[in-house]
Amino acid sequence: QVHMAESGGGSVQPGGSLRLSCEHSGLSGGSYCMAWFRQAPGKEREGVAFITMYGISTNYADSVKGRFTISRDNDKKAFYLQMNNLKPEDTAMYYCAAYLQRRWGVCTADGDYNYWGQGTQVTVSS
């Protein structure tokens, strides 16, 4: 009975910040790739930020590198996306996702993410 739920979305002006949270009850242990994806109307879903099992390493889409930070807290069964210096092109529905990382290595957008949240809306506009 895995359940993932995002929170923390909202409307901000360009240059503002938001912190998204994802609770992932039902996932035991820390050996999961966890990630944030986003999708804007009329655009394909894209991977934004990724963190490996136990938070060993992270990687980001070029469009958010230097502005977004992903982190995780396995004891609290949650992970986060700190978004700074937000831009209008960041406007999208943001989804958290996870899968069991069976091989050691980096986590990327092409992973077999089989656990998903319902999404939280982020809107950046003047």
Side-chain angles (χ1 to χ4, degrees):
Q1 297 184 355
V2 174
H3 178 70
M4 303 185 70
E6 306 92 340
S7 62
S11 297
V12 298
Q13 295 183 344
S17 297
L18 286 172
R19 180 177 171 86
L20 306 183
S21 299
C22 180
E23 297 182 346
H24 53 86
S25 62
L27 298 180
S28 299
S31 58
Y32 292 86
C33 280
M34 297 182 178
W36 290 95
F37 292 80
R38 68 186 182 187
Q39 187 169 24
K43 300 181 65 177
E44 295 183 352
R45 186 181 66 195
E46 63 175 335
V48 175
F50 312 87
I51 188 165
T52 64
M53 58 171 69
Y54 308 107
I56 294 173
S57 65
T58 60
N59 65 302
Y60 302 88
D62 288 341
S63 59
V64 307
K65 192 173 299 182
R67 300 188 296 120
F68 290 11
T69 302
I70 188 171
S71 61
R72 64 192 291 170
D73 187 331
N74 294 314
D75 290 335
K76 295 182 178 180
K77 295 185 176 181
F79 67 106
Y80 312 94
L81 184 67
Q82 179 66 45
M83 304 184 293
N84 297 326
N85 192 24
L86 284 161
K87 302 176 180 180
E89 53 263 41
D90 295 319
T91 296
M93 185 72 72
Y94 283 71
Y95 301 89
C96 61
Y99 71 94
L100 183 63
Q101 189 176 4
R102 299 185 181 276
R103 296 177 180 270
W104 189 91
V106 299
C107 296
T108 60
D110 61 347
D112 186 19
Y113 295 91
N114 56 335
Y115 305 115
W116 292 84
Q118 296 298 309
T120 185
Q121 179 68 38
V122 172
T123 302
V124 185
S125 65
S126 300

